Amino acid sequence: YHGKRGSSDIVVYAGENMAHPTQWLVVQAELRHALTRDELVLHYQPKVDLRSGEIVAVEALVRWQHPQRGLLPPSEFLPAVEQSGLIEPLTAWVLRRALADQAMWTATGRSWAVSVNVSARNLEKPGFTDFVSGLLAEHGTAPHRLLLEVTETALAADARCAAQAVIDLTARGIGISVDDFGTGYTSMSQLRGLPIAEVKIDRTFVRDVLDAPPSQAIVRAVIALAHGLGSRVTAEGVESPEVAGWLAQAGCDEAQGYLYSRPVPWREVGTYEITGAAQ
Ligand code: C2E
Ligand code: MG
Ligand code: MG
Ligand code: MG
């Protein structure tokens, strides 16, 4: 399907609104094409160590270079991907691309780890751990240089299944990160049994941490919880040096956000000056 479309067609990409079966077919066909024709691209956003100011890792964020619509953010197509059974091939594509890109930046002397976002469905799929291990072996990548970001909601979706996957992946040396922490429904007892490498504080709390005492309380509590469980803490959505400074004071380990860089192609990572390093 490559017909010309009007702006109202954007509704096709909003998962909840896809009631019409032919619209579903169009989206599915387009997404299959996107996967086979390499229309997807990965941008990377640095994770910065708040003490040293150095980039320690980068997070892969998928975009769709749509032939008619231009560069689409994940919110425009991930719901359709999730609901049409294409999340498996999408995650496979993202992992391969990210590991290939990482091999290139490693060859140019950067030791950055790479974070890849995965969905609940990926974790529930038997064989996912073996699949990821196989990809690491193919690329000659040490498992600790890959981190899989799982939203808190995904962990809660099918607690037992996801928890087992987390345990298996960690046993192979692959790091697990709990994304958007504070917005989902993970219970303390679920976290207790899980080997979590990183907790990411959702940007809704980070955004107003300077002037909202409740957000300050939540951020401090998440930092204490994560450290108590032996995890690193990363704050997402850091947009000002003042927020970065506050987080560093509060003991947060790493930060990500527009202050340092928007997501960019890997060759552009680190070409900017880091202004937010606290100290
Ligand atoms: P996320 O994993 O929580 O990623 C952070 C999102 O916040 C990204 O949006 C990023 O561009 C944005 N962001 C980063 N710093 C700032 C900031 O300082 N201010 C503001 N306002 N926003 C900031 P993006 O790239 O649109 O991705 C949205 C979500 O889509 C991601 O949230 C993640 O859940 C999902 N996603 C992205 N790529 C993939 C993927 O390859 N696979 C899967 N399953 N999900 C993905
Ligand atoms: Mg993420
Ligand atoms: Mg996040
Ligand atoms: Mg988020």
Side-chain angles (χ1 to χ4, degrees), residues 62-171:
V62 70
R63 278 92 181 82
W64 182 0
Q65 186 63 63
H66 191 283
Q68 280 89 38
R69 289 172 201 286
L71 199 63
L72 300 178
S75 56
E76 299 266 343
F77 60 93
L78 273 184
V81 169
E82 294 268 4
Q83 290 170 48
S84 61
L86 289 168
I87 191 67
E88 245 187 273
L90 179 115
T91 300
W93 183 90
V94 171
L95 278 166
R96 281 182 208 283
R97 181 77 262 156
L99 291 175
D101 289 347
Q102 187 186 40
M104 289 199 278
W105 70 64
T106 301
T108 65
R110 283 100 149 191
S111 60
W112 310 326
V114 69
S115 278
V116 169
N117 294 281
V118 299
S119 87
R121 271 166 211 257
N122 296 130
L123 293 181
E124 286 160 14
K125 173 88 182 174
F128 183 66
T129 303
D130 288 336
F131 174 71
V132 177
S133 286
L135 287 182
L136 287 167
E138 255 173 58
H139 288 87
T141 307
H144 72 269
R145 296 193 64 209
L146 173 67
L147 213 60
L148 299 180
E149 296 195 2
V150 183
T151 62
E152 214 191 332
T153 315
L155 277 184
D158 179 349
R160 217 188 31 186
C161 215
Q164 193 54 52
V166 166
I167 290 165
D168 293 346
L169 288 158
T170 305

Side-chain angles (χ1 to χ4, degrees), residues 153-197:
T153 315
L155 277 184
D158 179 349
R160 217 188 31 186
C161 215
Q164 193 54 52
V166 166
I167 290 165
D168 293 346
L169 288 158
T170 305
R172 311 276 183 104
I174 298 157
I176 299 294
S177 167
V178 184
D179 208 345
D180 302 340
F181 192 81
T183 58
Y185 300 96
T186 317
S187 72
M188 301 281 170
S189 65
Q190 269 171 303
L191 281 184
R192 185 178 57 178
L194 292 179
I196 301 295

Side-chain angles (χ1 to χ4, degrees), residues 197-251:
E198 176 191 66
V199 172
K200 296 184 80 171
I201 308 174
D202 193 71
R203 82 163 178 269
T204 51
F205 308 114
V206 173
R207 203 168 46 195
D208 57 5
V209 81
L210 294 180
D211 23 57
S215 290
Q216 293 174 0
I218 290 168
V219 171
R220 286 192 199 281
V222 173
I223 292 170
L225 173 67
H227 285 166
L229 294 170
S231 313
R232 284 194 315 280
V233 195
T234 299
E236 45 175 50
V238 176
E239 296 187 359
S240 74
E242 291 77 18
V243 168
W246 189 96
L247 290 163
Q249 287 281 305

